[in-house]
Amino acid sequence: MAKGSVTSGDVARRANVSQSAVSRAFSPGASVSDQTRKRVLDAAKELGYRPNAIARAMISGRSRLIAILVAYLDNQFYPVVLEQMSRALQDRGYQVLLFMTDPGNQDQVVQKMLQYQVEGIVMASATLSSSLARECASTGTPVVLFNRYVPSSPTSSVTSDNIEGARQLAHFLDAGGHRRIVFIAGHEDSSTSRDREAGFHKGLAECGRALFGRSVGGYSFDGAARAARELFGGRDRPDAVFVANDHMAFSVMDVLRGELKLRIPEDVSVVGYDDVPEAGWAGYNLTTVTQPSGPMVEAAVSILIEQVENRVVDKRAAVLPARLVVRGSARLPRPPAG
Amino acid sequence: MAKGSVTSGDVARRANVSQSAVSRAFSPGASVSDQTRKRVLDAAKELGYRPNAIARAMISGRSRLIAILVAYLDNQFYPVVLEQMSRALQDRGYQVLLFMTDPGNQDQVVQKMLQYQVEGIVMASATLSSSLARECASTGTPVVLFNRYVPSSPTSSVTSDNIEGARQLAHFLDAGGHRRIVFIAGHEDSSTSRDREAGFHKGLAECGRALFGRSVGGYSFDGAARAARELFGGRDRPDAVFVANDHMAFSVMDVLRGELKLRIPEDVSVVGYDDVPEAGWAGYNLTTVTQPSGPMVEAAVSILIEQVENRVVDKRAAVLPARLVVRGSARLPRPPAG
DNA sequence: TTGAAAGCGCTAACAA
DNA sequence: TTGTTAGCGCTTTCAA
């Protein structure tokens, strides 16, 4: 087998230097003379030498591998984040080890990550159980939760200001004259869904209103459709719905328009959260709240890499501002009279 | 630093066996007595031992790492594929090293992959230059091109039957009574776009028709919008458009309905290719051709893993059947008279 | 079935 | 600046 067969020893022999000289020539900042470096580089090029990152990882204890864990990629928010995060990590000289998880096998997946000596972990879905968090901590591997957090856990997290974003949504809907406002949650145990609901409640309360109803969509397309049918199936129809994320909001809009023959926003207003690309598409034109994926990714990467490079793991929580994006799926507030 | 500090030596000492016994206890199919294995496993559990996959990779020459290269994740076809492929690979005991590329830095990215001793490469976008292909071949690393191919290259590939799928689309449009049919290409140099165009031409020719016009969308949302404006801006408006993929088709539909105030399918029919999830959403309800992502992923993984495990690299080309999916974005053929 | 010993390809002291 | 020398944690002969 021709398994990457050319080694630093081969290059050394060819360049008439020691094997460590070869190593140095390929280590930025090592002390080599220009002459030696050139000799080595030339020999390396002739032989087609490529440093073995695995061997390097083993001896140096630095794999430059970051694990990213995601549960699903059908909500466009995550592909966008994954793309940005991979690029950001690559730019800093790290490689991404990607893991897909199901609710069940998360333990195994984290074991695999640790076996591969990853230097850091980003969990973009599925929350770390406390035992796994402890295990990561014991190996000194920093972890960042992305778009979620666990209040009781010492794990760092990056989120948008879900409470404030949802609060703005509530004010916007109230100003639009809506009176029967309902909410469709993601998962009951998701910090993101809970915060969005709490902020929404708070905003409504500030306007002297309360939620007219609620249901749970489980972050899935079908679940959201069921929730919509449930909330809009009765006599006393809501006049606005806040759906915990855009992905579910599209499904809700489909049910409202397709099955229930309601017009949006004339008969009912729909607002979401995330501002995924499809929200801007004319077919949905969804009023929503932007989660700033770019800054969120930057924050996650900075927090992680800083902890990796300084070998200190501590809890950091970044909360980035969220911004209301008014499009056409919700009735607009009337301009002030007079 | 507590860097995964417990090693097989530690476990060996604790279990009162040799270090190689520990290795064997963790190698499926190695010859160890049940008694020894149990002793080792118990000791390992007590110490929290986790085999070091990096060290294992180094000595065995098997990293169990597969690189997946993608250029963008905003066309939903790719996230879906990435998710399925990661799961399939994980199920077979391989891990995914994810690389995002730009047109420019592809060489560097492939170098990185090779440095990490990946055992195989999937290129889900961006085609391998011939020099890179040669480099991979020289290290014995199998490569599979996904949803693309290079006729002159010895690299394996997996595609759907783009020619036949597009041919069916042509017949469908002809049967629907369309007479001014245009095409919006992806990239001119993409095998997928070229095959779809060729199949479409062929189908039209079989019906005694020819293309009424064409433009290029470059696979981007904005590019597709421009192409739509160009083709539909003149007096002699097309009555149907085949867009080379769904992602661009959504953009085209937005322009047609939003800017040009055309009704779909009453004024103009739109068909796409891929059948991404959004194509089924009521807001678009796009008639398209299904690329069977599941079977395509299975084929790609089988081809790759077979070559990895048998250490033979040869060119294999899988072409999976594509199927027309009739939804509501194109006028339907009239039922035969009589 | 088991243990001893020899490395995988490289980095990191340590001398020179 | 350079070469020599130890290993990193593991798998894999080879004998016993």
Side-chain angles (χ1 to χ4, degrees), chain B residues 156-172:
Chain B
S156 295
S157 64
V158 174
T159 62
S160 74
D161 191 343
N162 291 299
I163 294 185
E164 174 57 20
R167 200 187 130 261
Q168 289 181 27
L169 239 20
H171 280 268
F172 176 76

Side-chain angles (χ1 to χ4, degrees), chain B residues 234-285:
Chain B
R235 300 184 53 98
D236 211 4
R237 219 181 55 212
D239 59 3
V241 54
F242 168 33
V243 192
N245 72 9
D246 290 355
H247 185 70
M248 292 196 295
F250 302 132
S251 176
V252 169
M253 290 175 82
D254 284 358
V255 168
L256 260 24
R257 291 196 285 217
E259 294 179 19
L260 305 176
K261 308 302 175 197
L262 297 172
R263 292 165 307 159
I264 297 172
E266 292 83 353
D267 300 323
V268 51
S269 291
V270 179
V271 298
Y273 202 111
D274 279 351
D275 195 20
V276 298
E278 290 97 328
W281 294 5
Y284 292 90
N285 197 31

Side-chain angles (χ1 to χ4, degrees), chain A residues 50 53 58 63 71 73 76 83 87 90 95-96 98-100 102 115-116 135 254 278 281-284, chain B residues 50 53 58 63 71 73 76 83 87 90 95-96 98-100 102 115-116 135 254 278 281-284:
Chain A
R50 220 182 344 261
M58 168 129 115
S63 67
L73 253 23
Q76 263 294 113
E83 171 166 350
R87 292 192 194 281
Q90 279 175 234
Q95 310 314 131
V96 171
L98 177 68
F99 292 86
M100 299 293 318
D102 307 302
Q115 287 181 219
Y116 271 88
E135 198 144 355
D254 283 357
E278 290 97 327
W281 294 5
Y284 291 91
Chain B
R50 219 181 344 262
M58 169 130 112
S63 67
L73 255 21
Q76 264 294 113
E83 172 167 348
R87 292 190 193 280
Q90 279 176 233
Q95 309 315 129
V96 171
L98 176 69
F99 292 85
M100 299 293 317
D102 307 303
Q115 288 184 13
Y116 272 89
E135 198 144 355
D254 284 358
E278 290 97 328
W281 294 5
Y284 292 90

Side-chain angles (χ1 to χ4, degrees), chain A residues 49-66:
Chain A
Y49 170 71
R50 220 182 344 261
N52 182 326
I54 295 284
R56 173 177 289 186
M58 168 129 115
I59 179 95
S60 67
R62 307 267 284 111
S63 67
R64 304 201 75 86
L65 249 25
I66 301 291

